[in-house]
Structures are given as C-alpha cells and as structure tokens.
Amino acid sequence: MPQPKSAPGGKRNGGSVRIAGARSRSRREDDKGKGAKFGGWNRSEKREEHKGRQGSMGTRGRRSDGVPRVGVKKSVSATSEPERRKRKISDDSWDDGGGGKSSAKQGFTRKSASTVTRGKYSASKGDRLKSQNLDGDDSYSGRSNSKASGISGGVKGRSVHGKNVEASKGKKFGESTEFRRKKGGTKDVSLDEQAVDGKNSDDSSSITEEKKPRPRLTRVLDRTGKKVKPAKKDVVPDSEEPTPKKKRKRMKLDPYDTSNKRIDEFPPKQDVSNAEKVQEKCAPEETDMSINAKFRAIQPSPSILSYVEDNLLGRRRLNEIKNAGYNVKISAPLDNVPFSTYTEHERIEESVFRNKLEFFAAAKISSSFPPPTIPEIAFAGVSNVGKSSLLNALTRQWGIVRTSDKPGLTQSINFFRLASKLSLVDLPGYGFAYAKEEVKESWQELVKEYVSTRVGLERVCLLVHTKRGMKPLDYELVDLMEKHKTPYQIVLTKTDLVFPIDVARRAMEIQESLRKNKSVVNPVMMVSSKTGAGIRNLRGVLGKLARFIKP
Ligand SMILES: Nc1nc2c(ncn2[C@@H]2O[C@H](COP(=O)(O)OP(=O)(O)OP(=O)(O)O)[C@@H](O)[C@H]2O)c(=O)[nH]1
Ligand SMILES: [Mg+2]
C-alpha cells in the first residue's frame, strides 16, 4: 500500500495523521467496493463494518483523542455528489427504521420524520381519551378541533384532556353528554386519520370545522360544570304600539295677503267668494284683522308703484341691478348714474352735498345749541332707524358720522355743516335703546324741544323703518311739529330689507295717515343707505332748500 502523504506542517502528530489517512483510505476503498451501502451513514452499520473488516477499535480509541476528527471530517466532506444523493435516499428510507445521531445532520428528513412520530403520539393520546371517556367536553374539544390543523390538533387535544377532567366532574346531562361523545368521536377519528395518513391534516381540519359547535353551547357549562343560563337578549315586542298620528296643522289663509303677488299684477284679483268664506271662519269682524293683514290689504297708488320700480327700491336681485346698468362693484351702486363708464361714482348732482361734511357742535341741553346762522335740516326717528347712516350716504362721506347696529349710539344733538351753506343735524333716537329710561326720556325731551323751538330749522326728516312703520312716538313727534308748524317730511329707510310692493304699501299707508296734516311735506321719500336707492332723489329735494333759503 502506498504511504499516505503527510499533511504540510504535520510532523509533530504525523502518526495520527497517518492513521486518519489510513482510515479515510480504507473508507474510500470500502466505498469503491460496496457503493451505496455506506451511503446511509448509519453508525450501527458503520460499527459492524469496522468490527468486521479492520477490528479498528484502537483506531476509534485514538480517534476519541480528538486528533483524527479532522480526518473523519475530511472523509465525510470528501464524499462525492452521487454519494450524497444516495445518502438522502437512504435517509428517507431511514424513517421507517428509527432515529440516530447521524439523522440529525439531515435537517429536512428529521423534521418530516418527527412530524409523523408526533402524529402517532397524539393519535395514541386520542385513543386514550376515547378509552377513558373523558373526551366529552364540547366546548374545549370544539375549540381544539376548530384550531386543529394537522398534528397540532393532537397536541391541543392533549392539553384539552386536563380541562376535560375538570369539566367532566359535574356533568350529568344526557343530552350534552351524547353530543360530547359524538364530538369526541369525531375528534378522535380525525386524529386517527391524521396519524394514519400523516398528510391529510388540511382535510381533517376542514371536517372538524364543519362540525364546529355553535358558540352558544360553550355558555351551557361554566368551569365547575354548573348550568349557566344564557344571557337574555332584549325582547323585541311583536307588535309595537301604534304611534299616534300627528295632527295636521291647518294654515289660516289670509284673504288680504297679497305679498306673493308680483307688483305689476297689483291690484290682485281675489276670488271673492273664497275670500269671504275664509273671512267668515278666520276673521268674522274687520276689527279682528291683524296688523299684518291690514297692511297687506293696502293698495298703493300707481304713482307710488312706478316710483318704487323706477328707483329700484325694495329688495332686489343683483342681476336686476346689473341689468339696469348699475355698477354693483361700488358701494351703494344705485346712488349713481346708470350705464356710467366711470369705475367710481359719478359726481353728486346737488352741489351742496359735494362739500365736506364737518362736525361743529354737539348739544345735550337746549342751551348748548349753536347759533342758527345757516339753514338746518334735522334727521329724527326712533333709535337704529338709520339717521346717521343717511347723513353719510347723502354726502358719500362714509365714517364722518358714527353709526352702530346697537340702538342708542347717538346720545346728543350733533351738528354738521356743508361749507356754511347747509347744516345737517343728527338727532338722538327715541324709543328702544340701550340706555337708562331717564336718559332716554331726556333725549326725547331734547328732541321735542329742538323741533318745536329751533330757529332756522327748515325741515325735519322723520325717518321711519320701512319694515316696522310709524310708531306711537313718531306720531307724538308729528303732533308736536304740527302744533309748532315745523315742516317735516317722512323718509322711509332700509327699503332694501322688504319687497318692493311692501315699500309702496308703507309709503301709501303713511301718506294716508298724514293726509290731514298741514306741516307734512309730500311726497314720502324712500331710501336705502345700503344700496343707494332713492338717495339721489332725496338729495335733490333737500338741495333745493339750500338753494332757495338764504341764511
Ligand atoms: N340694510 C340696511 N341697513 C341700514 C341702512 N341704513 C342703516 N343701516 C344699518 O342700521 C344700523 C343703524 O344705523 P344708524 O345710522 O346708526 O342708525 P341711527 O338711527 O343713527 O341709530 P341711533 O344713533 O342709535 O339712533 C347700522 O348697522 C346701519 O348699518 C339701510 O338703508 N339698509
Ligand atoms: Mg345715530
């Protein structure tokens, strides 16, 4: 036999190297001779081989010293590819023959083998459960079955076993026991099948899932085995009580209400017979008519109606104002010349109102009134009617006179002048205001004193809210002015808040109510400081005063 080549640098343990070399050589020879016989790499077979051929216990003993392990490894790693394949095949066949250390080197084969053995073990456990008749707890078995998939089902079944013992202590229910037996049998069969087949785990789990008990059954027994009543659900009454029918609201028809009519259809053609019938039911006497009904029954004169339409008074759509030729991008667009090419307002026609508005005096008592050097036009009315706003609108000088949506801002008589030609006087409002009663009374007294005694007062513009109409305090002031022959003119404000027809009705109503008065100046003016409607006309009326009355 040729001497084995010593490993490089292996002089110190050359003997052992030699032995290893001899061993590997002998193995190679065996491999040549026996082929696939050693492919399985079974240790017991290997021992027999060694005993029979070489009696190499000494070699083994020396190998246990640790040195020749290198050689052994070498020999193992030195196996050829065909040998490895053979080894794999033989490992598969090894499954039948049991385990060994060498099998651990083939991870995948061991895994499959152990899986099968566990399956067998669990199956045997299942048999035990069956034999002991402790497999009857449905809830737990049901759970385990539901979760069972392959071999793990068997393992779970074993864990269930302990719980079954607890549950079975108090079980004396025939029905449930039968059911449990059935279920237990099902479980065992499935486990047996798993054990026998070792591969249809998915099928078995599907079978158990089909027979999965309803969750309600799990509530039948508690842990001590006592019967537990399932929680009562809210009982829905079979027949609900019939809900009482809602009473229909009957609309009271107002025979005088013509607000839904268009202004050009006015006066409305009413069905007299129907109106009379409704009136008999709802308003048997004329005195019972509501204030609103009376107002809606007013039929404005054609001149008033045309005036309202021409000046676009009342609530208007933006498109309507646009189509009439007004530039809606500027403030108070209706206080302008229609179809104007200017981006701003056209020049104010009444020259007096082009002058700068200057505040020059304020009085809370009559003794504080300034000397009457220039003609005065006063603006009176209830609080929040829009007196101060109208001064600004007339002069287009916004912000000179302070305004507020809170009634009672103006608390003194404020005097403004337009270039020593005309004086505009802003009076404090009367009626409701955020002020003490005594203070409000003092304002009222001051206003009364002013309109009754003021020299140079050419006109009082009595402002009336278009929506609300004249109030008793307004009539009180009218009477006072009539008494002192102070000329006054009614100016409807905030006309943009109501429909055009209502603007006309209000004007008509006031005109009729003051027909017999002598100091009243007609016509009733209608304005809106917000949209600018009617402002130009009012300017024209007041401008004449400044032109013809000399100070
Ligand atoms: N929609 C609309 N609002 C207006 C008009 N004129 C005035 N207002 C608003 O009405 C509110 C009261 O306006 P003022 O000018 O302060 O009324 P006033 O009569 O001076 O009130 P007192 O000084 O408290 O007596 C403010 O919020 C104004 O913006 C108008 O023509 N249309
Ligand atoms: Mg004011």
Side-chain angles (χ1 to χ4, degrees):
M1 288 177 71
Q3 287 295 319
K5 289 178 183 176
S6 60
K11 279 185 180 179
R12 271 193 298 170
N13 49 4
S16 61
V17 169
R18 247 181 274 128
I19 290 162
R23 191 170 172 275
S24 63
R25 190 171 56 246
S26 66
R27 195 169 283 168
R28 267 183 244 131
E29 285 169 4
D30 289 337
D31 290 346
K32 281 176 188 174
K34 294 181 181 177
K37 195 169 184 179
F38 283 96
W41 202 242
N42 193 327
R43 181 168 284 185
S44 59
E45 289 175 6
K46 195 174 72 180
R47 278 181 203 149
E48 286 173 13
E49 284 294 327
H50 281 281
K51 279 178 189 176
R53 280 191 298 132
Q54 294 179 353
S56 58
M57 284 302 290
T59 311
R60 282 175 63 93
R62 265 177 265 153
R63 192 179 54 166
S64 65
D65 293 338
V67 178
R69 283 192 183 275
V70 178
V72 171
K73 279 183 182 174
K74 267 186 179 178
S75 65
V76 171
S77 62
T79 51
S80 59
E81 185 62 24
E83 281 175 1
R84 281 180 195 161
R85 283 180 194 161
K86 284 171 192 171
R87 217 179 275 170
K88 192 177 173 184
I89 294 160
S90 64
D91 277 339
D92 290 338
S93 62
W94 169 81
D95 288 342
D96 297 328
K101 259 190 177 179
S102 59
S103 65
K105 291 176 183 176
Q106 306 295 333
F108 61 95
T109 51
R110 183 193 171 109
K111 193 179 178 184
S112 62
S114 63
T115 306
V116 174
T117 49
R118 276 188 206 169
K120 280 181 180 177
Y121 171 73
S122 61
S124 64
K125 284 280 174 184
D127 290 334
R128 274 172 60 198
L129 288 167
K130 197 175 180 182
S131 62
Q132 288 175 10
N133 199 20
L134 293 171
D135 54 332
D137 195 300
D138 295 323
S139 58
Y140 293 109
S141 63
R143 277 181 204 165
S144 65
N145 285 340
S146 66
K147 288 178 182 176
S149 61
I151 303 309
S152 60
V155 176
K156 294 235 170 174
R158 189 173 58 166
S159 65
V160 164
H161 172 66
K163 292 175 184 176
N164 288 344
V165 175
E166 284 181 14
S168 62
K169 280 178 186 173
K171 86 179 167 190
K172 289 178 181 177
F173 311 102
E175 189 180 336
S176 60
T177 309
E178 280 178 22
F179 182 74
R180 283 178 195 133
R181 278 174 186 162
K182 282 179 187 174
K183 294 301 291 179
T186 305
K187 187 187 78 175
D188 287 337
V189 165
S190 67
L191 289 171
D192 288 339
E193 282 175 357
Q194 290 167 17
V196 170
D197 295 337
K199 55 188 178 182
N200 293 331
S201 58
D202 291 337
D203 298 339
S204 63
S205 67
S206 66
I207 290 164
T208 49
E209 276 176 11
E210 277 177 13
K211 296 182 180 178
K212 182 181 173 183
R214 291 177 185 173
R216 191 181 167 189
L217 286 170
T218 58
R219 294 175 203 157
V220 175
L221 291 177
D222 63 355
R223 291 197 69 171
T224 56
K226 288 181 182 177
K227 195 174 183 180
V228 179
K229 287 183 180 179
K232 287 182 180 178
K233 291 179 181 176
D234 293 337
V235 181
V236 181
D238 294 333
S239 59
E240 290 182 359
E241 289 183 7
T243 51
K245 287 183 179 177
K246 286 182 181 177
K247 286 184 180 178
R248 280 186 180 178
K249 282 184 180 178
R250 285 191 178 181
M251 279 182 66
K252 287 183 179 179
L253 294 174
D254 189 351
Y256 300 98
D257 187 3
T258 55
S259 59
N260 56 345
K261 301 284 181 185
R262 286 173 62 88
I263 200 164
D264 48 12
E265 290 174 359
F266 205 85
K269 292 173 185 175
Q270 291 184 358
D271 187 355
V272 179
S273 60
N274 278 345
E276 281 175 354
K277 283 177 190 173
V278 175
Q279 199 177 0
E280 279 177 12
K281 287 182 181 177
C282 304
E285 292 178 19
E286 201 176 307
T287 50
D288 290 345
M289 276 173 65
S290 66
I291 295 168
N292 282 344
K294 283 178 186 170
F295 178 70
R296 286 171 191 144
I298 295 169
Q299 297 181 7
S301 66
S303 60
I304 292 177
L305 288 171
S306 62
Y307 181 83
V308 167
E309 276 303 295
D310 293 346
N311 292 286
L312 290 175
L313 289 155
R315 190 185 296 173
R316 303 282 171 173
R317 289 196 185 95
L318 210 62
N319 264 356
E320 202 176 347
I321 296 170
K322 266 186 196 174
N323 294 339
Y326 293 97
N327 181 10
V328 293
K329 290 179 182 172
I330 57 174
S331 61
L334 292 171
D335 177 26
N336 202 15
V337 179
F339 300 104
S340 170
T341 51
Y342 291 105
T343 52
E344 292 298 319
H345 282 102
E346 290 268 4
R347 205 166 74 138
I348 296 172
E349 289 175 5
E350 287 296 329
S351 59
V352 68
F353 287 101
R354 285 184 227 142
N355 295 305
K356 193 180 176 188
L357 187 67
E358 283 179 324
F359 169 79
F360 70 96
K364 287 194 173 182
I365 50 172
S366 56
S367 58
S368 306
F369 292 161
T373 52
I374 48 176
E376 286 180 5
I377 299 170
F379 296 85
V382 295
S383 296
N384 204 248
V385 76
K387 301 179 290 291
S388 306
S389 301
L390 185 57
L391 259 70
N392 290 327
L394 284 170
T395 57
R396 287 185 192 161
Q397 295 173 35
W398 307 98
I400 300 293
V401 188
R402 286 180 58 216
T403 63
S404 166
D405 55 351
K406 211 173 166 185
L409 179 73
T410 310
Q411 300 185 358
S412 60
I413 297 177
N414 297 327
F415 295 84
F416 298 86
R417 64 180 165 217
L418 292 164
S420 305
K421 291 179 183 172
L422 188 67
S423 178
L424 303 177
V425 183
D426 186 15
L427 299 176
Y430 45 82
F432 174 79
Y434 291 101
K436 289 179 181 174
E437 281 299 316
E438 316 91 69
V439 176
K440 284 195 283 184
E441 281 176 14
S442 70
W443 296 347
Q444 207 171 324
E445 291 303 314
L446 187 68
V447 169
K448 282 181 180 175
E449 192 175 355
Y450 175 80
V451 299
S452 55
T453 61
R454 180 68 177 169
V455 178
L457 180 60
E458 300 298 325
R459 192 165 294 180
V460 173
C461 288
L462 181 57
L463 274 59
V464 176
H465 200 300
T466 309
K467 204 172 183 177
R468 295 169 192 159
M470 283 185 73
K471 299 291 175 188
L473 284 172
D474 292 321
Y475 284 110
E476 214 175 292
L477 192 68
V478 164
D479 290 346
L480 189 71
M481 290 188 285
E482 284 288 326
K483 189 181 172 184
H484 292 274
K485 297 182 180 175
T486 308
Y488 62 93
Q489 189 165 18
I490 305 296
V491 179
L492 292 179
T493 60
K494 304 191 184 184
T495 54
D496 57 291
L497 297 179
V498 297
F499 290 112
I501 180 67
D502 289 336
V503 177
R505 278 189 189 129
R506 188 67 73 194
M508 189 73 193
E509 179 197 52
I510 294 170
Q511 201 169 290
E512 288 296 310
S513 65
L514 302 175
R515 193 193 297 165
K516 293 174 184 172
N517 291 14
K518 293 179 179 171
S519 299
V520 65
V521 178
N522 283 321
V524 173
M525 302 304 294
M526 298 162 253
V527 295
S528 166
S529 302
K530 194 175 179 183
T531 63
I535 296 289
R536 292 172 71 214
N537 292 341
L538 183 61
R539 253 191 233 123
V541 169
L542 301 179
K544 279 181 192 169
L545 291 176
R547 254 183 279 150
F548 296 111
I549 300 168
K550 299 286 176 188

